[in-house]
Amino acid sequence: MESDVEFQELTKKIARIGADGMTKEERSKRRRALDELGVPNFMQFVVENDDGTTSSVDNKQLYRSSPTILQLNIGLYCNQACNHCHVESSPLRKEETMSPQIAARCL
């Protein structure tokens, strides 16, 4: 994949615009490039790697199990401003917090 220029260009574009921003033709070109490299599509990968210990795959349908963890980002205020923060928290975002009513609904 590292040597396929077209694949690399499309990968950069996807990182920039997201998969939903791709045209149907671009998605087809990406799938063909992955097929040429022997990379299975998502469902093939799941079925091939199903070890039988879970029942998440049935008749090529993926089923969600019950959640065991609930993570809530209750606000974007933080006393730090780290570049790697996945929610882009910072000391400047004091007003962006979850209300107690919304938190109660989540729980």
Side-chain angles (χ1 to χ4, degrees), residues 71-76 78 80-90 93:
Q71 175 184 331
L72 295 176
N73 294 323
I74 58 172
L76 298 175
C78 182
Q80 300 177 21
C82 304
N83 288 336
H84 62 273
C85 181
H86 73 285
V87 292
E88 299 178 354
S89 295
S90 79
R93 300 184 81 173

Side-chain angles (χ1 to χ4, degrees), residues 2 11-12 21 23 36 42 49 78-80 82 93:
E2 290 83 19
T11 300
K12 288 176 188 174
T23 65
E36 288 175 13
F42 178 74
N49 292 284
C78 182
N79 65 343
Q80 300 177 21
C82 304
R93 300 184 81 173

Side-chain angles (χ1 to χ4, degrees), residues 56-96:
S56 61
V57 179
D58 186 27
N59 296 326
K60 294 194 175 184
Q61 293 288 325
L62 198 58
Y63 294 97
R64 186 181 304 186
S65 59
S66 299
T68 57
I69 296 172
L70 174 66
Q71 175 184 331
L72 295 176
N73 294 323
I74 58 172
L76 298 175
Y77 172 76
C78 182
N79 65 343
Q80 300 177 21
C82 304
N83 288 336
H84 62 273
C85 181
H86 73 285
V87 292
E88 299 178 354
S89 295
S90 79
L92 304 175
R93 300 184 81 173
K94 292 182 181 181
E95 302 302 319
E96 299 172 82

Side-chain angles (χ1 to χ4, degrees), residues 33-65:
L34 291 170
D35 287 344
E36 288 175 13
L37 295 168
V39 177
N41 69 32
F42 178 74
M43 207 59 225
Q44 286 174 318
F45 177 82
V46 170
V47 170
E48 289 170 6
N49 292 284
D50 184 19
D51 61 3
T53 59
T54 63
S55 60
S56 61
V57 179
D58 186 27
N59 296 326
K60 294 194 175 184
Q61 293 288 325
L62 198 58
Y63 294 97
R64 186 181 304 186
S65 59

